[in-house]
Amino acid sequence: MSDLYLKDSYLNKNIDFLLNAVIIEYDLKSANTSLCREYNLLPGKQIEEIEKMPKKKRVVTIGKLQRKDNKFKDGLKDAFIDIRRRFFEKNDIQDSDILSIKKDAIFCLREVEYTDFGECHFLKKNQYTSYLYLNKLEFYYNSKGETLGDDGRLDVKGIDDEVVRKHDEFMNSFFKTLFKHLETGSTKSKFNFLKRFIDKYKSLRLEVGYYREYNQQSIIRLTDSDETYDNPVFIPYEHKQEHINIDYNFFHILLPIVKILV
């Protein structure tokens, strides 16, 4: 059995690309309070009070308790490890079954049978069909599901969700279309799509939003000024594309994609 359950955070960096695969995110429901119940870390009445709070307040309350009480802090840390151990043990998890661990979320490369452990319940939160590891970012894509629409769903780990949303309709749209081509298109169509997009990108024929740097800062840089912009409206030129620095996404996103696919 794998001993990866010992890690609060893990990513198999040997995998940079998965296509038409089974990737399931198993998430521990109400992780903090369910662990407190299962491992008797707090009195039942106190757990009930915390459970009634909004999610954000629950997290803050548990954080304050950990800062005040080292015994509780260590107990909760050990509980996270032990519940992952039970999940791994019962489902006979091997290293090759795990793509990623985010504390109370386990990204498995196969479906598991056992998800309930006393007061603790792992839910199938998300399922994905493809994956890309790029520039320290994890791109998870799901092409299937009635509620997803034609473009599918894209989740990105390594950047705050609010920041990722700035790329909607732009680079996020590119990634969705790319994954769709990779999953269903011929080799020729994949590379034709990528070539056309890169040609447009290099010749500044795309909307300004495509040139927003795909990282945690997600700013727009200019070639002739040290000023950076979050909102393209404030770029002080009529023909904005002519002044935009396109280097970041070209060298850190597009060229690495080409290398991975080739």
Side-chain angles (χ1 to χ4, degrees):
M1 187 187 79
S2 171
D3 63 358
L4 291 174
Y5 65 83
L6 294 168
K7 299 177 181 288
D8 271 351
S9 179
Y10 167 78
L11 176 66
N12 186 343
K13 293 182 180 176
N14 293 320
I15 299 175
D16 55 17
F17 184 49
L18 290 170
L19 192 62
N20 291 317
V22 175
I23 307 165
I24 302 173
E25 178 187 357
Y26 289 99
D27 193 75
L28 182 58
K29 183 182 179 183
S30 303
N32 287 325
T33 51
S34 67
L35 288 171
C36 286
R37 281 191 185 281
E38 179 66 13
Y39 293 92
N40 298 311
L41 299 177
L42 292 173
K45 190 173 181 182
Q46 188 175 6
I47 296 172
E48 288 176 12
E49 290 173 357
I50 295 172
E51 285 176 330
K52 292 175 184 175
M53 299 174 182
K55 184 177 179 181
K56 194 171 183 180
K57 190 174 181 182
R58 287 202 308 267
V59 173
V60 170
T61 301
I62 292 291
K64 287 180 178 178
L65 287 171
Q66 289 184 87
R67 286 193 292 274
K68 286 195 298 184
D69 187 340
N70 283 331
K71 184 180 178 182
F72 172 71
K73 179 183 177 181
D74 293 340
L76 188 57
K77 182 179 180 180
D78 291 342
F80 271 106
I81 293 172
D82 194 63
I83 200 64
R84 291 194 299 264
R85 177 193 63 78
R86 290 162 68 182
F87 179 90
F88 274 47
E89 192 173 77
K90 192 72 174 173
N91 292 294
D92 191 25
I93 298 290
Q94 310 298 313
D95 283 5
S96 58
D97 296 323
I98 299 297
L99 175 59
S100 176
I101 297 172
K102 318 285 187 198
K103 199 169 186 178
D104 59 338
I106 303 171
F107 291 75
C108 292
L109 297 176
R110 65 173 173 87
E111 193 159 7
V112 302
E113 184 176 355
Y114 302 101
T115 55
D116 298 317
F117 305 89
E119 298 287 342
C120 298
H121 308 282
F122 284 91
L123 304 179
K124 190 188 287 188
K125 184 178 180 183
N126 290 303
Q127 184 159 348
Y128 305 98
T129 52
S130 291
Y131 164 82
L132 178 66
Y133 181 62
L134 187 70
N135 195 30
K136 298 183 179 179
L137 303 177
E138 302 160 50
F139 295 84
Y140 295 86
Y141 175 74
N142 185 0
S143 61
K144 300 182 173 76
E146 294 178 4
T147 61
L148 295 178
D150 293 336
D151 293 335
R153 171 177 178 167
L154 179 73
D155 289 333
V156 185
K157 310 293 182 185
I159 302 183
D160 292 345
D161 289 344
E162 287 183 13
V163 178
V164 171
R165 282 193 284 272
K166 293 180 181 181
H167 297 277
D168 284 350
E169 310 303 325
F170 304 110
M171 285 304 290
N172 286 344
S173 178
F174 158 76
F175 278 112
K176 287 181 180 180
T177 307
L178 175 66
F179 276 120
K180 191 173 181 180
H181 275 282
L182 293 174
E183 288 192 353
T184 62
S186 65
T187 301
K188 185 178 180 180
S189 73
K190 298 171 190 176
F191 284 104
N192 281 344
F193 164 73
L194 197 52
K195 183 180 183 303
R196 286 195 304 271
F197 182 84
I198 291 174
D199 285 345
K200 287 181 181 178
Y201 185 91
K202 287 168 63 178
S203 58
L204 298 166
R205 285 183 284 143
L206 297 173
E207 293 178 62
V208 173
Y210 282 96
Y211 301 99
R212 183 187 294 279
E213 295 182 356
Y214 210 111
N215 54 31
Q216 182 58 42
Q217 286 72 43
S218 286
I219 55 174
I220 300 169
R221 296 184 192 274
L222 304 185
T223 55
D224 47 11
S225 170
D226 290 333
E227 288 290 327
T228 60
Y229 295 86
D230 183 53
N231 190 333
V233 170
F234 297 112
I235 297 174
Y237 299 103
E238 183 180 353
H239 302 292
K240 296 177 172 56
Q241 281 88 336
E242 295 175 7
H243 302 270
I244 288 175
N245 187 320
I246 71 170
D247 288 356
Y248 189 89
N249 290 347
F250 183 73
F251 288 108
H252 293 89
I253 301 294
L254 298 176
L255 281 188
I257 287 174
V258 173
K259 289 178 182 177
I260 288 171
L261 295 183
V262 170

